[in-house]
Amino acid sequence: MTQRSTFPKITTHVLQEMKLNGEKIAMLTAYDYTMAGLLDESGIDVILVGDSASNVMAGHKTTLPITLDEMIYHASSVMRAVTRALVVVDLPFGTYQGDSLEALHSAIRIMKESGANAVKIEGGKEIVQSIRRILSAGIPVLGHLGLTPQSINKFGTYVVRATEEREAVKLIEDAQLLEDAGCFGIVLEKIPAELGAKVTDGLKIPTIGIGAGNGTDGQVLVSHDMLGLTQKFSPRFLRRYNNLSEGIKGSVQSYIDDVKSVDFPNEDEQY
Ligand code: KIV
């Protein structure tokens, strides 16, 4: 079995060290106290309070509707549980794109009100001013390139990105720009494995892939997907490590049966 990381506390500097040592970074999402505690106790390196909460927790079709207040609520819940992992929080759609000062205020609210360790922002050249401004306040930033779900209305589909030369070249340039601006890492979502490895090899900072092949410095998945709590979402890159939805439904059905048949509570379960 692969040795899990022995770092007592994960910081952005530790992630850099992990890249240098060739140790892969394991990242998962969490949006609440209980799940975050389980991930942290299991030894996860990075917890992402992703705006995928918009889909997974709130049932929206896209990540666009989730608000800054809602992200801060999720991030605060996660922070109460975590002692070791680095916690990164997504800046939600509409809170950083138009104006770098607004981006700075949004990031400061997340850091101040939740106590998180870093923020994540989708995009390259178009939003680099916002990234620079946030970094200038001492807030670590994780970039996010490739498939950027907040731009779904521009692209219209969630298909693999940067399969064409022009888009691949822009992604490589954007990745370098984000590194030069001072991002501590970059999430690469749903791009060809070869490109994921090429971007990773060209950067000093770590990359964390989701559907970007095994040449990146780490991997991230949505916990609810990899645990099988969600059932409909089945992209090729998703490995399911459990089938918790079936387990939960089976348990609930047993509970219903026990209540209806007056098997629950029994003598030992009452006062
Ligand atoms: O919001 C999220 O969960 C994400 C990951 C899919 C990288 O951005």
Side-chain angles (χ1 to χ4, degrees):
M1 197 169 119
T2 316
Q3 187 70 35
R4 292 211 189 92
S5 184
T6 51
F7 292 102
K9 173 77 193 141
I10 307 295
T11 64
T12 57
H13 300 280
V14 167
L15 299 186
Q16 182 66 63
E17 216 173 301
M18 287 168 80
K19 172 159 182 145
L20 288 174
N21 297 341
E23 179 182 341
K24 297 281 185 183
I25 298 163
M27 171 160 142
L28 284 171
T29 57
Y31 321 108
D32 67 83
Y33 175 85
T34 305
M35 181 71 89
L38 292 172
L39 301 187
D40 199 43
E41 284 168 30
S42 308
I44 199 75
D45 298 313
V46 186
I47 292 180
L48 173 66
V49 184
D51 59 358
S52 49
S54 180
N55 312 92
V56 176
M57 302 301 286
H60 293 298
K61 286 204 164 57
T62 71
T63 57
L64 275 66
I66 200 160
T67 65
L68 188 56
D69 284 338
E70 286 165 343
M71 289 304 295
I72 290 170
Y73 167 78
H74 288 300
S76 307
S77 309
V78 165
M79 286 309 293
R80 279 179 219 118
V82 173
T83 59
R84 177 180 175 274
L86 181 85
V87 178
V88 183
V89 183
D90 263 330
L91 276 183
F93 177 68
T95 65
Y96 63 91
Q97 291 95 338
D99 170 356
S100 66
L101 193 57
E102 189 190 359
L104 175 63
H105 287 152
S106 304
I108 286 178
R109 275 203 63 200
I110 287 179
M111 301 298 282
K112 217 179 172 70
E113 295 177 37
S114 75
N117 307 122
V119 297
K120 175 164 83 60
I121 308 193
E122 293 184 9
K125 191 170 173 218
E126 310 75 23
I127 50 108
V128 78
Q129 291 306 339
S130 295
I131 290 181
R132 288 204 183 99
R133 195 121 190 203
I134 294 169
L135 286 163
S136 74
I139 300 172
V141 178
L142 181 62
H144 184 153
L145 299 172
L147 194 158
T148 47
Q150 291 180 12
S151 309
I152 182 59
N153 291 306
K154 176 176 168 192
F155 294 100
T157 85
Y158 290 103
V159 294
V160 183
R161 299 294 198 262
T163 50
E164 287 178 17
E165 177 73 9
R166 196 176 43 83
E167 213 192 328
V169 168
K170 174 166 167 26
L171 192 141
I172 292 167
E173 286 169 2
D174 278 345
Q176 193 57 59
L177 197 66
L178 296 190
E179 172 168 294
D180 294 344
C183 287
F184 71 86
I186 302 176
V187 167
L188 297 174
E189 180 162 354
K190 219 168 174 188
I191 59 170
E194 203 179 317
L195 180 60
K198 187 171 175 188
V199 172
T200 302
D201 292 346
L203 294 178
K204 295 191 192 72
I205 56 172
T207 59
I208 302 178
I210 173 163
N214 64 12
T216 54
D217 297 306
Q219 298 293 330
V220 54
L221 286 175
V222 170
S223 298
H224 287 64
D225 297 334
M226 60 83 81
L227 293 171
L229 277 164
T230 51
Q231 293 169 293
K232 289 184 194 136
F233 185 64
S234 249
R236 178 178 173 152
F237 66 74
L238 174 61
R239 185 179 292 183
R240 281 195 210 283
Y241 287 83
N242 213 316
N243 191 3
L244 291 187
S245 57
E246 288 307 315
I248 289 175
K249 283 193 275 185
S251 305
V252 172
Q253 280 156 7
S254 300
Y255 169 74
I256 294 169
D257 291 345
D258 290 352
V259 170
K260 304 267 178 202
S261 64
V262 201
D263 176 80
F264 175 79
N266 64 22
E267 289 283 306
D268 297 336
E269 291 161 334
Q270 57 194 359
Y271 300 99

